[in-house]
């Protein structure tokens, strides 16, 4: 017990305060004591619930989108279908089930999962036995790709920089006199250079977040799309325009909690900076759709009709269940607006569905 606290204390005693990014990386992904190595994460008796766990309709719409992109690419005979951070594998299982009738698609695809947690790899194997697992995008074979990531980027470590009385500091984690973890301001690391130009001179005290890990993965995806062709769909909670603010948060048993009190026992996330992902893709010469709200995206893909078809001839109870899921996924005060959807595709294909045409969203 308390192995994670002991590990972090040892690390801090050896190296001094650790950046919030290192703290987040350890808490979530430590190979023995990290949060994602635990068994009870998703669902009602876990800590949080994600869109694919709410309803199969989510994966069905994503399946439609992916099959549409495969066709827009000219239906290549081989395609790497990649999911980043698949959780319990539910999304991919629903994607595969809902695209079975798309002629030639299943013969062409190979499923690749980017996942570090051994515990979740085992769960994913039950849901999608045919998948191949990777710890990095680099080991996924060459060739055109379809990439999907739901609630993956919010789990990637962020650095926080604090502008205080005219000086930039890094927010780091250290030990207090009682050996408890506490936040401390330290000299900024070189990652300060990733703060966008318009946020470098705050008028007063302010906090800014950057995620080098997210930028690195987006760059790798962009390279793949440019070299081999393909499409990527990124869904997460986040913001369209980078600004000052602290979005570092911890959740346990469906409630917010202090991110420093139970390391490895709570989910720690930060809101995703979609502006930086979008800019990376655009700078790489790729086509971008969104970010747009998850509600608008799903409804445009036909979620409403799918829900109606699902409940045809079903009981009142099943009716209520399907429409309550639809509401959760799409309502502005639930997941419909805070969750953003970004598509990135190579330039040789017609624009992706799900995004309003004409206003860039
Ligand atoms: N996409 C799933 C799970 C979201 S939780 C869903 O929607 O239900 C985040 C997922 O990302 C988990 O599977 C976690 O183990 C994985 N993950 C987090 N950080 C990662 C990293 N650095 N590399 C690979 N996978 C990571």
């Amino acid at each position: 017990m308390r192995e994670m606290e002991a590990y972090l204390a040892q690390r801090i005693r050896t190296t001094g305060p650790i950046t919030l990014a290192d703290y987040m990386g350890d808490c979530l992904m430590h190979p023995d004591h990290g949060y994602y190595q635990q068994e009870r994460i998703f669902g009602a008796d876990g800590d949080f619930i994600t869109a694919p766990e709410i309803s199969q309709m989510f994966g069905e719409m994503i399946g439609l989108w992916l099959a549409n992109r495969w066709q827009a690419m000219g239906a290549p005979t081989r395609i790497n279908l990649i999911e980043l951070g698949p959780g319990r594998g539910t999304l991919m299982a629903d994607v595969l089930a809902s695209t079975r009738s798309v002629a030639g698609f299943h013969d062409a695809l190979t499923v690749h999962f980017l996942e570090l947690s051994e515990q979740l790899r085992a769960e994913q194997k039950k849901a999608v036995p045919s998948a191949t697992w990777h710890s990095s995008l680099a080991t996924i074979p060459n060739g055109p790709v379809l990439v999907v990531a739901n609630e993956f980027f919010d789990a990637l470590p962020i650095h926080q920089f604090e502008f205080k009385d005219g000086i930039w500091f890094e927010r780091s984690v250290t030990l207090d006199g009682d050996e408890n973890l506490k936040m401390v301001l330290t000299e900024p690391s070189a990652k300060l250079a990733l703060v966008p130009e318009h946020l470098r001179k705050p008028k007063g005290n302010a906090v800014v977040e950057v995620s080098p890990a997210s930028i690195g993965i987006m760059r790798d995806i962009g390279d793949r799309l440019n070299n081999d062709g393909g499409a990527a769909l990124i869904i997460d909670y986040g913001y369209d325009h980078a600004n000052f603010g602290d979005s570092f948060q911890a959740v346990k048993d469906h409630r917010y909690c202090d991110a420093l009190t139970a390391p490895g026992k709570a989910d720690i996330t930060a809101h995703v900076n979609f502006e930086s992902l979008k800019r990376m893709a655009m700078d790489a010469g790729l086509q971008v759709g969104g970010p747009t709200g998850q509600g608008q995206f799903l409804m445009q893909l036909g979620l409403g009709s799918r829900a109606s078809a699902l409940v045809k001839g079903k009981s009142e109870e099943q009716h209520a269940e399907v429409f309550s899921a639809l509401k959760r996924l799409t309502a502005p005060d639930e997941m419909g607006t805070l969750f953003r959807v970004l598509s990135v595709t190579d330039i040789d294909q017609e624009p992706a569905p799900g995004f309003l045409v004409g206003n860039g969203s």
Side-chain angles (χ1 to χ4, degrees), residues 229-251:
L233 192 66
I234 297 164
I235 307 153
D236 227 308
Y237 47 100
Y239 44 91
D240 296 359
H241 302 289
N243 210 335
F244 301 112
D246 169 6
S247 74
F248 186 67
Q249 66 185 36
V251 167

Side-chain angles (χ1 to χ4, degrees), residues 49-51 54-55 58 151 235-238 254 256 271 292-296 298 303 320-340:
I49 189 157
T50 57
I54 291 174
S55 164
F58 182 77
E151 291 210 43
I235 307 153
D236 227 308
Y237 47 100
H254 300 267
Y256 291 110
H271 286 199
T292 192
Q294 173 175 294
Q296 186 267 316
L298 293 174
L303 182 66
E321 203 176 293
V322 167
F323 280 92
S324 136
L326 176 105
K327 181 167 176 284
R328 265 185 97 172
L329 294 172
T330 60
D333 58 345
E334 301 213 36
M335 298 175 84
T337 306
L338 177 61
F339 278 76
R340 316 300 295 162

Side-chain angles (χ1 to χ4, degrees), residues 28-29 36 41-42 48 50-53 58 83-91 114-117 120 124 134-135 149-152 154-157 217:
L28 293 180
M29 282 300 162
Y36 281 109
I41 298 174
F42 305 99
F48 61 98
T50 57
E53 304 294 335
F58 182 77
E83 185 173 356
L84 314 179
R88 298 167 69 183
T90 309
L91 173 59
L114 182 77
E115 178 59 74
L116 296 181
S117 157
L120 287 176
Q124 291 155 15
H134 302 265
S135 302
N150 185 61
E151 291 210 43
F152 167 75
D154 66 272
L156 296 180
I217 288 186

Side-chain angles (χ1 to χ4, degrees), residues 342-361:
L342 178 75
S343 98
V344 182
T345 66
D346 67 62
I347 48 164
D348 296 331
Q349 49 190 280
E350 68 192 47
F355 302 91
L356 296 172
V357 179
N359 66 357
S361 66

Side-chain angles (χ1 to χ4, degrees), residues 18-87:
I18 57 174
T19 63
L20 208 56
D22 282 346
Y23 177 76
M24 195 170 165
D26 273 347
C27 286
L28 293 180
M29 282 300 162
H30 185 282
D32 300 318
H33 320 306
Y35 174 74
Y36 281 109
Q37 296 294 350
Q38 297 187 117
E39 285 185 16
R40 199 189 52 96
I41 298 174
F42 305 99
D45 59 344
D47 293 317
F48 61 98
I49 189 157
T50 57
E53 304 294 335
I54 291 174
S55 164
Q56 70 185 69
M57 295 187 292
F58 182 77
E60 289 170 349
M61 295 302 112
I62 305 298
L64 262 183
W65 192 91
L66 293 166
N68 168 282
R69 287 300 87 195
W70 175 68
Q71 279 157 345
M73 291 157 68
T77 51
R78 295 211 59 73
I79 184 112
N80 293 315
L81 175 53
I82 306 170
E83 185 173 356
L84 314 179

Side-chain angles (χ1 to χ4, degrees), residues 33-282:
H33 320 306
Y35 174 74
Y36 281 109
Q37 296 294 350
Q38 297 187 117
E39 285 185 16
R40 199 189 52 96
I41 298 174
F42 305 99
D45 59 344
D47 293 317
F48 61 98
I49 189 157
T50 57
E53 304 294 335
I54 291 174
S55 164
Q56 70 185 69
M57 295 187 292
F58 182 77
E60 289 170 349
M61 295 302 112
I62 305 298
L64 262 183
W65 192 91
L66 293 166
N68 168 282
R69 287 300 87 195
W70 175 68
Q71 279 157 345
M73 291 157 68
T77 51
R78 295 211 59 73
I79 184 112
N80 293 315
L81 175 53
I82 306 170
E83 185 173 356
L84 314 179
R88 298 167 69 183
T90 309
L91 173 59
M92 187 58 79
D94 290 340
V95 162
L96 293 176
S98 66
T99 53
R100 225 178 272 134
S101 60
V102 179
F105 188 43
H106 281 213
D107 292 336
L109 64 83
T110 322
V111 175
H112 298 275
F113 282 162
L114 182 77
E115 178 59 74
L116 296 181
S117 157
E118 286 305 326
Q119 149 67 19
L120 287 176
R121 282 184 179 200
E123 284 257 336
Q124 291 155 15
K125 197 167 174 61
K126 288 185 216 152
V128 186
S130 64
T132 311
W133 282 263
H134 302 265
S135 302
S136 135
L137 287 172
T139 53
I140 296 174
N142 289 342
V145 293
L146 290 170
V147 184
V148 61
N150 185 61
E151 291 210 43
F152 167 75
F153 280 90
D154 66 272
L156 296 180
I158 55 149
H159 289 258
Q160 278 192 342
F161 296 104
E162 186 168 330
F163 192 73
K164 196 173 174 202
D165 304 330
I167 300 170
W168 280 109
F169 295 94
E170 175 130 15
R171 301 190 79 199
S172 297
V173 176
T174 193
L175 296 169
D176 67 14
D178 298 325
E179 296 264 295
N180 292 317
L181 296 166
K182 68 161 191 184
M183 209 67 100
V184 65
L185 297 182
T186 55
E187 286 263 308
S189 64
K191 303 293 187 248
L192 181 64
L194 293 174
V195 173
E197 190 67 41
H198 72 285
L199 301 179
R200 286 191 187 165
K201 293 206 173 68
K203 296 223 164 59
N205 294 350
V207 173
V208 182
E209 299 176 344
V210 298
S211 176
S214 303
I215 293 171
I217 288 186
M218 195 62 220
R219 182 182 303 118
D220 289 348
I221 292 173
D223 287 348
R224 293 297 290 251
L225 297 183
N226 268 325
N227 294 337
D228 296 342
L233 192 66
I234 297 164
I235 307 153
D236 227 308
Y237 47 100
Y239 44 91
D240 296 359
H241 302 289
N243 210 335
F244 301 112
D246 169 6
S247 74
F248 186 67
Q249 66 185 36
V251 167
K252 188 164 171 44
D253 300 326
H254 300 267
R255 288 208 192 97
Y256 291 110
C257 63
D258 186 318
L260 299 189
T261 46
K265 298 285 179 290
D267 184 38
I268 306 185
T269 59
H271 286 199
V272 173
N273 180 347
F274 277 98
E275 184 177 348
S276 77
L277 300 185
K278 180 172 176 168
R279 180 162 308 134
M280 288 261 352
M282 291 179 83

